[in-house]
Amino acid sequence: MIADSDDEPTWSEPTAAASRCPDCGRPFTTEERRLLHRGLEHPDRLTAREREAYATVAAAERGAHRRYVLGALIVFVVTYFGFLFAYAIVA
């Protein structure tokens, strides 16, 4: 565990048995991350219920990724045109 200057923990390795991959033993901070790992790395070992849960979590993750990329694109375009207009005004 790493401690902050205020002696508040900022990171610790997951200790719950559910947060470890049962196939390779890799630790995860959330159950969703473990499920995504198992769906990508060990798809042949998933049960029908886990496959369904993986599909749900993967769809949510794709939506979050799409929103992030769209936000990054908007920031890039606004910054680009901001500099373009500033250059046009100054030059």
Side-chain angles (χ1 to χ4, degrees):
M1 175 170 33
I2 300 173
D4 204 335
S5 60
D6 298 325
D7 292 332
E8 293 180 24
T10 56
W11 178 85
S12 64
E13 187 169 332
T15 56
S19 63
R20 287 195 175 270
C21 176
D23 300 316
C24 63
R26 183 175 170 187
F28 294 95
T29 55
T30 64
E31 186 67 24
E32 288 82 14
R33 296 291 177 210
R34 184 183 69 87
L35 190 57
L36 285 170
H37 162 76
R38 290 199 67 217
L40 292 172
E41 299 296 325
H42 316 290
D44 55 330
R45 297 181 181 172
L46 293 177
T47 64
R49 178 179 276 174
E50 287 174 328
R51 286 181 208 273
E52 195 175 306
Y54 167 73
T56 303
V57 171
E61 193 72 18
R62 280 191 296 275
H65 181 261
R66 180 170 282 173
R67 284 188 299 277
Y68 174 79
V69 169
L70 182 60
L73 178 64
I74 289 170
V75 167
F76 175 74
V77 168
V78 167
T79 303
Y80 174 79
F81 281 107
F83 279 119
L84 185 67
F85 290 141
Y87 179 76
I89 291 170
V90 171

